[in-house]
Amino acid sequence: MDPIREHAQVETRRSFFGRSGVLSLGAAALAEMLAREAMAFPGADASAKLPSATGGLAGLPHFPPTAKRAIYLHMNGGPSQLDLFDYKPKMDALFDTDLPESIRNGQRLTTMTSGQARFPVAPSKYKFARHGQSGMWVSELLPHTAKIVDEIALIQTTWTEAINHDPAVTYICTGNQLPGRPSLGSWLSYGLGTMNQDLPSFVVMTPSWSSKGSPQAIYNRLWGAGFLPSKYQGVALRANGDPVLFLSNPSGVDAAVRRRSLDAINRINQAEYDSFADPETQARIAQYEMAFRMQTSVPELIDISNEPRHVLDMYGPDVHKPGTFARCALLARRLAERDVRFVQLFHRGWDQHGNMANELPVQCRDVDQASAALVMDLKQRGLLDDTLVIWGGEFGRTIYCQGALSRENYGRDHHPKAFPIWMAGGGVKAGYVHGETDDFGYNVVRDPVHIHDMNATILHCMGIDNNRFSVKFQGQDARMTGFVEQYPVKQILA
Amino acid sequence: MDLSRPTLAATALAAALFSVAALAEEAPSTKAKVDFGRDVRPILSENCFVCHGFDAQKREAGLRLDTHEGVLETLESGDAAVVPGNLEDSGLIFRVEVDDDEMVMPPPKSGKKLTAEEIDVLKRWVAEGAPWGGHWAFEPVAKVEPPRTEDASWSRGPVDSFLLARMEEEGLKPSPEAEPTALLRRVTLDLTGLPPTIAEVDGFLAAVDAVGLGAAYEKAVDRLLDSPRYGEHMARYWLDAARYGDTHGLHLDNFREMWPYREWVIRAFNANKPFDEFVVEQLAGDLLPNPSTDQLIATGFNRCHVSTAEGGSIVEEVYTRNVTDQVDTDGTVFLGMSVGCARCHDHKFDPITQKEYYQFFAFFNNIDGPAMDGNASRWQPFLVTPTDEQTERIKAMDAKIVESKAGLDAEVKRLAASYDPGIDEGLSEDVVPEDYVWIDDGPPAGATSREAGEFVDAAADRPVKSGRRSLRVQAAGLTQNVIETTGPKLKTGAGDVLFAHVHLDPANPPREVMLQWKIGGQWARRAYWGENLVGFGKDGGVERLRIGDLPARGEWVRLEVPTAKLEIAPGTRIEGWAFTLYDGVAHFDASGLRTGTAQEGRAYPNLTAWIRDRKADGGAGLAEDVKAIIAKPRDQRSVEERRRLIDLFLTAGWSQTDEAVTKARDELAKAEEARRKLDGELSTTLIFRERPGEPKPAFVLHRGEYDQPTDRVTRAVPAFLPPMPSDAPADRLGLARWLVMPENPLTARVAVNRFWQQVFGAGIVKTSEDFGTQGERPSHPELLDWLAATFQEEGWDVKAMMKRLVSSSAYRQSTKASPEALAKDPDDRLLTRGPRFRLDAETLRDQALYVGGVLVEELGGASVKPPQPSGLWEAVAYGDSNTKNFKADEGAGKVHRRSVYTFWKRTSPPPQMTTLDAPSRESCTVRRERTNTPLQALLLLNEDQYVEASRALAQRALREGGSTADGRLTRMFRLAVGRAPKASELAELTAALDDFAAHYADKPDQAKALIEIGASSPDPAIEPRELAAWTMIGNVILNLDEVLTKG
């Protein structure tokens, strides 16, 4: 949408008060600013087909990106890779035998299981089968994901140092275990700017979930801007109340009254600018205008009434319920369509220390169909080529059982040494499995991918060299991927 | 969202990143000599130090460029980086100029590249003999005379002289003085965080007429510094640095009670506590001689870090993180140094070794409390800090306890006469399991009996085993007697045996006898004899366990069931007992527990029995000295000790105790219980305190990992700074005093720089968090030193410093920007115009409530929760968190308080604050960003409290502004910004008012809906449609740039 034309339309539509001679100040300020932004965005490589963006850093992207935007489906709590993606048939014969010390190898454990007398092997009770042309193994809990295996690159061997939720999820989302660093989406907004003038460039959703255990917390810092200006933080799109905080006019104030009040505000502000010449005043006029446009663009975004039946059906029946993962996945597609740079969903409830048999299936039912639908929906619209979809948690789970073990039910503790993340679209190799773990799914035997490498890969797809993308913070060149150089995993890339 | 041009802050950030900030430093002119510190070191630091710097582990080719020796040294290759005066032989010059990707420095993969100007600087530096110098911030503070300036009339003091001299160098001129009204608004906002009232503006203008601007202004500044609002406003900035929050910040993010520390900060600023004392008390108040309550509260500074009790966490890892946070925060707040960089390796840029980091760490490595917060609001060490009112109540309660005790003593004395100690002779105090009969002639105290069965007196066909009665149950099919208690329960120990005596009717015996016990609200433990006819519970386990055949008829038989067999754990409290029959008749009697465990509510026939139970339960509830007496063998107790035991026994358990004693005893118990309850309500605050004994050893941690300690270290300060005095204690107190000793080059500089930043928008050192070599150099180094030296000379007097800053001519300038000044100095680093920037989140909210006349001003106290959109906490919180559900406070007394008192949940801070750049308070923040976004517009236009403030402002204007629209609009405008509106502004507002009035004229429902928003009620005297139209005018005014901006 052309913001200037849009603004002009608003202006002409505003026949309500019948005033003539209205100065379209917001539009004027906007036009000037866009012109300035355009000059400030030379583009790094003339041959690259860059999305038109505003507000990014000069020199970025570093090279032609394969993804203009990304959708990150975060499964908070640590989904059990052993019951979903990492097929370990040899475990069946080892049911209730002790995990060999040679496998655990003295690795530190959380204090939830470090006191256990023994570490008995808990084979997955779920059936695995090969799927698609690629023959990727997927468990019966993810029947829909199984249908899109030829679209995804599955990394079996992501690993992290953190073994508890708070540090681990903070680590994967911000590149540091301690609070205070910018999140991935805010780095992207800061570096690449926005491609949409009516919506935030980084949108976050926190859908509902079905497991009954007490859910792990998430934190605003996971989409926070850390030491970057707060305007780069993720904007939460909410299922209840105002979809964006304070979006709605107060009761008793309709759009016409709001428009009229903005005209008064902006005109007085323009006069203020004329006497004090503070560029911030002009920026403020433009921001008030954008706020007004958001009052239209956001409701339009979340109104799914014109989505065709067959599309809604793809996402499953939950899509009709606001706040579900399915609805949020559909909204993620709508956001991608509108060129929102980065969308992140935080689906909670994946922390199965016990009662795997009852909790894991309901969690999978929440996300399986809609995750697959999102990928296929993007594909059908031609958006998958330049949209990166990422799916995964903050760590994996242990092969040994936590608590009571039976063939039918068991629990698993946190396991940071190997866990799966899959990616689709946006320049990744489809139908590809990266890395391999040992027979116990415990240690990586081939191609470990540290979460910094993982994030470096995402940045790479977005056209960013992570080692050259830094902000001076407390004297350091602070990066998303830490102080030491990290490199994207080239094998995953198409 | 980034439609705007980057804000000032962001622009500057980008500038700092990608180029040398143009005006922050004097650009080296081609004629002037190169200044090493100003021109050369920044280039070396930015481009070279990572590989050729302080960190010996990472030093490439043996070359170091952070010391003069290193630069001049002849390397193994035979070359030297720099040969003074000789460009040809200087390897450094060759390597930065060479046109070869393999050779050129910095390497292309680093992403860094020298500009032609930078290369030119390096060449001229070498040509001029490569002079060297230390980093400015580590050099002693040097107070130089303020420079002379061409314009002798403008300057009001040294601050202005330094600033003006620099302007003159750059060919710039200061701006004229601001309008008096604008000036008063500016200084009132800067010193109190609230705007002036109309009366204050009018009073000021009258004073200006009477005594002149200078005298009137000084008087106004003094008045503002004396206002208690000053402390509230100053505290805000400090609380960002201290990372103060009302929750733990990690995982469960539960409530943490810490607000007495916040109150201390407010008090300290209001009392103008000298800044050196302010520092010492916060770092080491507990180590001062006889520390006062306030000095202990102050140490909460180091306890404000985020904390966790996440299940599975490793204690030592969490402990290390806590200390690390303290060290890093102290480094930033006091030294302006990113010491945290040296946690894993020697600092890349600044001369702090990893070892020195852990020597600093060692000062804090000895807290007297656990690493994990236990998810509790009170986390050791903490201090109880009763309010004055609570202190009064405590006094009254303590008096009541003393009085009750005296009453009881008198009764006991009387009763003691009737107890014959002789009956204890020959009895053993050894604890042995014995029968404790719980149910005898009736249900136990506090219990009821229901359903079938009754306690019957002995008769021919009614056998009784003990006492006067037994329980008779007559059944046809399934029948039971159920006894449940809300009083004392039956308490089990290890190896206990449940027992009951039963007598089966010889003529009509039951087919099955079952006993059932209620535990934790559940009837899920059962034992039975005979047939398996009662179908309760799961068969074959503890829910229905067969013990044996029916006992013999016509005689008393003892039934026994070991508690272990029913998996009843020791310590369990049994709250019910059921006697169940299938058909037939049976009598039950003397049922209970064979146990060594003391039983609740038990009455004892003699002292010895009472002592046995006290031994069995470890003296629970008794004073320590009484426990000690009980532990002694009987013959070793003195007469007084024996007396003491008898007194206690007589009040606490003698079966013959009379009602007068019981009453006196209960009264005392009630008084003590009330006191305990109050203790639970008293406010508390986390403090720092040393562990007793030897300090916990500290080690260098390899790569910063808690589980990889290497060399043991002792407490010491970094070597690049002056040493601690030799007689200083090697503890936090010594460290704190070292920070504020005159030789320390950083603390005063860092502190005054933040005060400067607060008032002028950017520090003299813009990177107020980093004074190291990677930080930005001061725009006015001599001025910074002059301020730092003066601050110390004046006894670290913060109010005097604030007064000096706001009294300067620089501060008092108009904020109007000329095109020339804008082009040359867009960020106003040279102060050629007055400071102008958007107000902070707290100030904006407070201002709106204040101009609407609804702000509730009350100093200090616990945090309050103004309303926020629903679902924000719920969306992120852990299921078991006690800050999972947000419930807004009610009543203006809470929801209209100043924002400094708003409850800060760190994983989901109040959006009214964070939308406007307030930090999350999860980590130390000494410099807020200042952005300009549409989300801020939405907040300021639509949020309930801002709308409520708009209406309140409208009401005031209608009440106070006379009867004309002009008068009312003028009043409203003045309430918000002090000055009267210009004709054009008045016309604009009048037109809008007309339109709003026309709109609401036929929409009474909309009007009503609008004016009813908020915690306060609309003025009923004003017609709703009129008030709605005026409310929208209020909304317009509160969103004007001038209102949102300090200008």
Side-chain angles (χ1 to χ4, degrees):
Chain A
M1 189 186 305
D2 173 351
I4 301 173
R5 207 180 59 228
E6 166 69 5
H7 181 84
Q9 283 168 358
V10 170
E11 285 295 308
T12 51
R13 274 202 301 268
R14 56 166 301 282
S15 53
F16 171 75
F17 288 112
R19 290 195 161 278
S20 58
V22 172
L23 268 174
S24 187
L25 296 168
L30 194 62
E32 186 180 328
M33 243 166 290
L34 285 176
R36 215 179 310 159
E37 296 287 352
M39 285 188 297
F41 187 80
D45 183 340
S47 67
K49 279 195 188 131
L50 298 175
S52 65
T54 53
L57 295 177
L60 256 66
H62 294 119
F63 39 75
T66 53
K68 282 165 67 171
R69 43 188 120 64
I71 300 171
Y72 197 131
L73 309 174
H74 178 79
M75 305 296 132
N76 187 254
S80 171
Q81 77 281 16
L82 299 159
D83 297 284
L84 300 178
F85 290 108
D86 205 3
Y87 181 42
K88 295 298 166 194
K90 289 185 185 164
M91 291 300 98
D92 217 39
L94 297 179
F95 171 75
D96 203 16
T97 61
D98 289 341
L99 176 70
E101 187 50 46
S102 61
I103 296 296
R104 196 186 128 196
N105 207 8
Q107 185 227 339
R108 68 177 187 160
L109 306 173
T110 78
T111 53
M112 282 177 286
T113 52
S114 58
Q116 270 184 206
R118 48 187 297 261
F119 300 97
V121 167
S124 178
K125 65 177 278 193
Y126 299 103
K127 291 190 190 69
F128 278 71
R130 288 183 176 277
H131 294 275
Q133 300 260 306
S134 56
M136 206 180 287
W137 288 101
V138 180
S139 106
E140 60 184 329
L141 287 174
L142 298 173
H144 294 275
T145 307
K147 288 183 211 150
I148 61 154
V149 291
D150 290 339
E151 303 295 338
I152 70 177
L154 172 65
I155 304 162
Q156 293 280 31
T157 49
T158 329
W159 71 280
T160 174
E161 290 91 350
I163 58 168
N164 281 300
H165 297 283
D166 184 332
V169 68
T170 306
Y171 198 16
I172 199 167
C173 289
T174 73
N176 200 302
Q177 297 191 40
L178 302 173
R181 297 296 176 128
S183 57
L184 179 59
S186 56
W187 276 109
L188 290 171
S189 297
Y190 167 71
L192 297 174
T194 183
M195 302 181 287
N196 181 311
Q197 308 305 338
D198 300 325
L199 290 167
S201 63
F202 174 17
V203 173
V204 171
M205 286 177 272
T206 54
S208 56
W209 66 96
S210 294
S211 77
K212 295 285 176 270
S214 194
Q216 287 301 328
I218 50 177
Y219 322 95
N220 282 12
R221 79 176 87 102
L222 304 181
W223 52 93
F227 49 71
L228 292 175
S230 65
K231 69 174 175 178
Y232 299 113
Q233 73 195 4
V235 172
L237 193 60
R238 297 145 33 93
N240 300 307
D242 267 347
V244 166
L245 284 178
F246 315 118
L247 182 73
S248 303
N249 289 323
S251 313
V253 175
D254 61 23
V257 170
R258 177 52 75 219
R259 183 64 256 166
R260 181 65 187 89
S261 65
L262 285 176
D263 288 343
I265 292 166
N266 288 346
R267 277 195 292 262
I268 296 175
N269 284 353
Q270 179 64 35
E272 166 99 350
Y273 174 73
D274 292 343
S275 25
F276 286 90
D278 182 355
E280 280 296 295
T281 309
Q282 234 181 2
R284 181 152 294 119
I285 294 170
Q287 298 300 8
Y288 272 68
E289 286 303 322
M290 173 150 169
F292 184 72
R293 289 198 307 282
M294 279 176 67
Q295 291 187 313
T296 311
S297 61
V298 173
E300 190 271 334
L301 165 78
I302 62 170
D303 174 12
I304 62 162
S305 60
N306 58 358
E307 288 285 339
R309 184 87 230 166
H310 71 273
V311 170
L312 294 173
D313 288 347
M314 269 172 78
Y315 286 84
D318 279 359
V319 81
H320 298 289
K321 227 167 108 194
T324 58
F325 184 88
R327 172 67 72 89
C328 294
L330 175 63
L331 292 179
R333 190 221 78 211
R334 291 173 68 89
L335 286 160
E337 250 172 353
R338 286 158 178 75
D339 270 341
V340 167
R341 179 78 66 190
F342 192 65
V343 180
Q344 197 162 17
L345 272 61
F346 288 87
H347 184 258
R348 294 158 73 186
W350 291 88
D351 190 26
Q352 276 74 47
H353 288 279
N355 201 10
M356 189 75 74
N358 296 311
E359 301 259 298
L360 189 60
V362 296
Q363 288 291 108
C364 291
R365 264 201 298 280
D366 281 351
V367 306
D368 175 44
Q369 184 171 358
S371 300
L374 173 61
V375 171
M376 296 319 290
D377 196 6
L378 288 168
K379 183 168 182 172
Q380 284 163 12
R381 283 157 203 267
L383 285 166
L384 192 60
D385 291 339
D386 55 7
T387 305
L388 182 65
V389 182
I390 306 132
W391 188 105
E394 71 270 36
F395 43 50
R397 307 207 80 87
T398 54
I399 184 68
Y400 65 78
C401 183
Q402 177 175 359
L405 168 63
S406 71
R407 284 275 183 188
E408 285 309 305
N409 207 350
Y410 43 86
R412 301 188 189 279
D413 198 1
H414 310 159
H415 187 63
K417 296 184 71 174
F419 63 101
I421 284 182
W422 63 252
M423 302 205 271
V428 301
K429 201 182 286 174
Y432 169 71
V433 178
H434 185 78
E436 193 185 333
T437 61
D438 61 23
D439 289 342
F440 294 82
Y442 202 97
N443 299 296
V444 173
V445 296
R446 184 168 53 79
D447 294 337
V449 176
H450 188 269
I451 58 166
H452 281 325
D453 303 329
M454 174 76 215
N455 283 328
T457 310
I458 296 170
L459 290 171
H460 180 91
C461 291
M462 305 293 287
I464 296 175
D465 174 350
N466 60 295
N467 293 321
R468 282 195 284 152
F469 184 34
S470 64
V471 165
K472 194 71 74 198
F473 173 62
Q474 294 196 332
Q476 279 191 49
D477 292 324
R479 301 183 184 91
M480 173 75 200
T481 51
F483 195 75
V484 180
E485 285 182 15
Q486 307 284 347
Y487 295 94
V489 185
K490 287 275 161 64
Q491 299 99 304
I492 305 170
L493 304 174
Chain B
M1 189 66 67
D2 292 340
L3 178 61
S4 73
R5 90 187 243 293
T7 62
L8 290 180
T11 313
L13 186 64
L17 267 175
F18 298 104
S19 66
V20 178
L23 272 165
E25 300 170 26
E26 302 138 85
S29 86
T30 43
K31 286 167 200 148
K33 272 184 90 170
V34 173
D35 177 314
F36 174 76
R38 182 191 65 196
D39 307 326
V40 180
R41 186 198 291 277
I43 299 173
L44 298 178
S45 175
E46 175 64 31
N47 297 287
C48 316
F49 283 4
V50 169
C51 306
H52 302 291
F54 185 72
D55 183 355
Q57 305 288 322
K58 289 279 149 59
R59 201 173 293 146
E60 302 283 340
L63 171 63
R64 76 184 285 190
L65 298 175
D66 66 321
T67 64
H68 203 197
E69 297 72 36
V71 164
L72 302 178
E73 191 186 340
T74 304
L75 303 174
E76 279 180 20
S77 62
D79 292 332
V82 170
V83 180
N86 184 343
L87 290 176
E88 291 294 298
D89 291 345
S90 292
L92 180 129
I93 300 301
F94 172 72
R95 293 294 287 266
V96 298
E97 283 197 308
V98 65
D99 183 21
D100 176 348
D101 277 359
E102 294 293 310
M103 296 277 280
V104 72
M105 285 287 155
K109 73 165 188 170
S110 70
K112 296 182 188 296
K113 192 173 182 334
L114 295 188
T115 63
E117 293 76 38
E118 287 169 332
I119 292 173
D120 180 54
V121 167
L122 293 177
K123 287 167 83 171
R124 283 191 291 127
W125 169 61
V126 172
E128 287 167 14
W132 197 263
H135 177 59
W136 69 269
F138 307 153
E139 300 291 319
V141 173
K143 191 171 184 179
V144 299
E145 282 303 305
R148 287 183 179 285
T149 53
E150 288 165 31
D151 175 356
S153 64
W154 185 72
S155 168
R156 282 191 170 90
V159 169
D160 292 323
S161 302
F162 285 109
L163 291 172
L164 183 60
R166 178 71 195 279
M167 285 184 227
E168 288 177 347
E169 262 174 53
E170 301 287 338
L172 293 166
K173 279 196 165 35
S175 299
E177 190 151 58
E179 294 293 324
T181 307
L183 185 56
L184 184 70
R185 177 170 181 267
R186 184 187 302 168
V187 73
T188 308
L189 286 166
D190 269 337
L191 294 182
T192 67
L194 289 170
T197 62
I198 292 178
E200 284 164 357
V201 172
D202 289 344
F204 179 63
L205 294 176
V208 171
D209 284 344
V211 299
L213 179 61
Y217 184 71
E218 184 174 3
K219 204 168 156 222
V221 169
D222 288 341
R223 170 176 63 80
L224 295 167
L225 289 169
D226 279 344
S227 161
R229 295 170 186 158
Y230 164 83
E232 292 177 316
H233 181 64
M234 296 293 286
R236 241 180 14 75
Y237 299 91
W238 187 257
L239 295 173
D240 276 2
R243 71 248 187 268
Y244 169 88
D246 293 304
T247 60
H248 288 313
L250 297 175
H251 201 237
L252 253 67
D253 195 28
N254 269 359
F255 171 57
R256 167 189 291 180
E257 189 160 33
M258 196 74 208
W259 60 263
Y261 168 72
R262 174 179 59 200
E263 201 171 282
W264 178 87
V265 174
I266 294 171
R267 275 203 307 273
F269 278 112
N270 273 337
N272 200 26
K273 183 182 280 294
F275 192 79
D276 54 346
E277 287 175 28
F278 184 72
V279 171
V280 168
E281 290 181 13
Q282 293 187 74
L283 276 186
D286 57 313
L287 297 175
L288 291 168
N290 305 316
S292 66
T293 301
D294 263 7
Q295 286 166 336
L296 292 173
I297 293 173
T299 63
F301 174 81
N302 266 321
R303 299 296 307 288
C304 284
H305 58 83
V306 295
S307 63
T308 191
E310 180 170 352
S313 297
I314 294 162
V315 172
E316 197 54 31
E317 183 175 26
V318 172
Y319 182 92
T320 305
R321 279 187 193 162
N322 292 348
V323 179
T324 299
D325 190 322
Q326 291 161 14
V327 171
D328 295 358
T329 296
D330 294 338
T332 302
V333 174
F334 301 114
L335 297 174
M337 298 282 293
S338 55
V339 294
C341 294
R343 189 163 67 89
C344 311
H345 49 72
D346 290 352
H347 203 293
K348 297 285 180 195
F349 307 105
D350 295 322
I352 306 174
T353 63
Q354 194 189 7
K355 182 178 172 197
E356 284 171 327
Y357 179 87
Y358 287 99
Q359 288 177 324
F360 203 87
F361 181 101
F363 283 105
F364 299 92
N365 191 41
N366 199 41
I367 191 166
D368 188 18
M372 310 260 252
D373 58 43
N375 297 316
S377 68
R378 301 170 171 194
W379 169 32
Q380 286 289 2
F382 65 85
L383 188 72
V384 182
T385 55
T387 61
D388 292 348
E389 184 263 346
Q390 284 169 333
T391 307
E392 285 306 306
R393 273 167 65 199
I394 289 171
K395 264 193 213 152
M397 284 179 170
D398 286 348
K400 173 79 186 157
I401 288 171
V402 170
E403 183 194 324
S404 308
K405 237 184 204 138
L408 179 60
D409 284 350
E411 293 297 337
V412 167
K413 207 167 173 191
R414 176 186 54 74
L415 187 64
S418 60
Y419 182 75
D420 171 16
I423 65 173
D424 285 303
E425 267 165 40
L427 299 177
S428 166
E429 288 185 0
D430 293 343
V431 177
V432 287
E434 56 181 347
D435 280 2
Y436 173 64
V437 175
W438 199 45
I439 303 164
D440 193 3
D441 288 350
T448 55
S449 152
R450 58 184 176 81
E451 297 192 29
E454 55 176 334
F455 287 89
V456 296
D457 290 333
D461 60 342
R462 300 187 161 189
V464 167
K465 165 81 180 161
S466 80
R468 294 182 292 115
R469 282 195 282 262
S470 66
L471 173 66
R472 175 185 170 87
V473 183
Q474 180 164 1
L478 172 61
T479 302
Q480 56 188 350
N481 178 273
V482 178
I483 287 168
E484 284 173 295
T485 183
T486 54
K489 319 277 188 291
L490 196 54
K491 220 164 130 193
T492 67
D496 287 359
V497 178
L498 289 155
F499 64 84
H501 294 85
V502 67
H503 186 287
L504 304 189
D505 190 286
N508 184 16
R511 294 169 65 191
E512 179 182 355
V513 173
M514 176 182 271
L515 300 177
Q516 307 183 60
W517 295 275
K518 185 182 180 189
I519 294 165
Q522 302 293 316
W523 290 95
R525 296 288 194 283
R526 299 179 188 85
Y528 72 93
W529 293 258
E531 294 180 58
N532 188 2
L533 297 167
V534 180
F536 296 151
K538 205 170 144 192
D539 196 11
V542 298
E543 293 186 11
R544 200 197 310 166
L545 195 66
R546 189 170 194 275
I547 307 296
D549 297 337
L550 282 175
R553 309 172 191 182
E555 59 183 85
W556 282 104
V557 178
R558 181 176 166 109
L559 302 176
E560 288 195 341
V561 189
T563 51
K565 226 168 163 179
L566 291 174
E567 292 174 16
I568 296 172
T572 302
R573 290 145 69 95
I574 296 174
E575 64 229 39
W577 192 312
F579 301 90
T580 307
L581 298 184
Y582 199 95
D583 288 348
V585 174
H587 288 252
F588 296 92
D589 204 351
S591 309
L593 186 67
R594 184 163 186 80
T595 183
T597 302
Q599 296 299 325
E600 297 168 359
R602 184 172 176 188
Y604 302 87
N606 52 57
L607 175 64
T608 310
W610 181 79
I611 288 176
R612 275 204 297 274
D613 263 10
R614 303 289 74 78
K615 282 187 168 173
D617 65 10
L622 296 179
E624 288 302 318
D625 59 330
V626 176
K627 284 188 202 170
I629 299 171
I630 288 176
K632 285 185 183 177
R634 182 171 9 198
D635 54 8
Q636 286 177 26
R637 292 179 195 136
S638 68
V639 176
E640 290 73 34
E641 286 172 342
R642 193 168 163 73
R643 189 76 253 160
R644 183 103 197 267
L645 292 184
I646 289 179
D647 283 358
L648 271 173
F649 160 65
L650 293 177
T651 57
W654 191 29
S655 51
Q656 308 298 313
T657 293
D658 63 19
E659 204 179 316
V661 173
T662 315
K663 211 176 136 210
R665 184 190 70 194
D666 291 351
E667 193 167 300
L668 177 62
K670 228 169 90 188
E672 285 173 339
E673 175 56 29
R675 176 73 166 82
R676 266 196 298 279
K677 189 159 166 278
L678 179 65
D679 277 348
E681 292 165 5
L682 297 178
S683 59
T684 57
T685 194
L686 309 191
I687 58 168
F688 210 102
R689 188 172 62 215
E690 292 290 289
R691 291 191 325 177
E694 281 298 296
K696 184 175 152 90
F699 300 89
V700 173
L701 302 180
H702 178 62
R703 294 195 51 78
E705 296 291 345
Y706 72 95
D707 56 353
Q708 296 183 44
T710 58
D711 299 335
R712 184 160 175 187
V713 292
T714 52
R715 294 166 173 174
V717 297
F720 76 95
L721 291 169
M724 283 167 77
S726 54
D727 58 345
D731 58 14
R732 280 178 289 113
L733 185 59
L735 179 73
R737 289 188 170 141
W738 168 81
L739 281 173
V740 294
M741 72 183 194
E743 295 82 1
N744 192 310
L746 287 166
T747 310
R749 277 181 176 135
V750 169
V752 295
N753 188 61
R754 275 202 306 268
F755 295 135
W756 185 278
Q757 165 183 282
Q758 200 176 310
V759 169
F760 288 103
I764 297 173
V765 175
K766 191 162 151 194
T767 54
S768 47
E769 69 286 353
D770 186 13
F771 277 50
T773 60
Q774 285 292 92
E776 198 183 293
R777 284 172 52 81
S779 57
H780 302 80
E782 294 87 5
L783 170 58
L784 181 65
D785 273 16
W786 188 90
L787 289 169
T790 307
F791 188 42
Q792 297 187 63
E793 285 162 15
E794 288 180 347
W796 304 81
D797 184 335
V798 178
K799 281 191 179 177
M801 182 54 63
M802 293 305 290
K803 183 172 176 178
R804 173 174 292 109
L805 300 186
V806 301
S807 301
S808 65
S809 294
Y811 179 80
R812 289 157 68 163
Q813 297 172 95
S814 161
T815 63
K816 196 169 170 154
S818 69
E820 187 205 4
L822 259 185
K824 213 162 173 191
D825 184 11
D827 295 336
D828 197 23
R829 296 299 308 285
L830 298 184
L831 275 310
T832 57
R833 51 195 187 273
R836 182 186 166 93
F837 45 85
R838 197 206 72 218
L839 296 168
D840 281 347
E842 292 91 335
T843 310
L844 283 172
R845 176 175 169 272
D846 294 354
Q847 169 179 261
L849 295 172
Y850 183 69
V851 301
V854 295
L855 185 73
V856 172
E857 292 199 78
E858 187 190 320
L859 208 61
S863 297
V864 292
K865 299 192 187 91
Q868 67 178 27
S870 63
L872 294 175
W873 287 13
E874 293 82 351
V876 299
Y878 187 87
D880 296 336
S881 170
N882 66 13
T883 56
K884 179 187 174 191
N885 299 306
F886 179 85
K887 191 173 174 298
D889 282 333
E890 283 176 13
K894 288 199 164 164
V895 303
H896 287 163
R897 297 279 306 281
R898 288 195 76 172
S899 306
V900 71
Y901 302 113
T902 295
F903 188 94
W904 217 277
K905 176 176 168 66
R906 297 204 266 200
T907 60
S908 181
Q912 292 94 328
M913 299 291 115
T914 52
T915 303
L916 289 157
D917 298 307
S920 69
R921 299 266 177 86
E922 291 169 299
S923 55
C924 161
T925 308
V926 292
R927 178 165 59 124
R928 288 190 186 185
E929 294 295 341
R930 208 171 279 122
T931 64
N932 193 342
T933 71
L935 299 179
Q936 293 166 2
L938 291 170
L939 164 70
L940 297 166
L941 289 166
N942 299 333
E943 196 263 341
D944 280 359
Q945 290 205 321
Y946 280 100
V947 175
E948 181 181 10
S950 306
R951 192 245 304 148
L953 178 60
Q955 288 177 178
R956 279 188 83 178
L958 290 171
R959 274 200 312 270
E960 301 168 5
S963 55
T964 64
D966 272 8
R968 291 166 164 187
L969 288 170
T970 300
R971 183 82 187 169
M972 205 158 166
F973 198 89
R974 286 201 69 198
L975 282 167
V977 295
R979 72 175 173 91
K982 292 182 253 185
S984 57
E985 289 162 337
L986 200 55
E988 191 63 62
L989 292 171
T990 306
L993 177 65
D994 290 348
D995 285 342
F996 294 140
H999 175 81
Y1000 286 109
D1002 58 353
K1003 295 184 182 63
D1005 293 346
Q1006 278 193 16
K1008 195 160 172 296
L1010 173 59
I1011 64 173
E1012 284 184 348
I1013 291 171
S1016 57
S1017 303
D1019 186 343
I1022 307 170
E1023 209 283 316
R1025 285 173 294 194
E1026 187 188 10
L1027 183 53
W1030 279 95
T1031 298
M1032 284 312 296
I1033 292 296
N1035 191 247
V1036 165
I1037 287 181
L1038 288 182
N1039 277 280
L1040 293 180
D1041 185 70
E1042 187 172 346
V1043 175
L1044 308 179
T1045 303
K1046 176 183 99 170

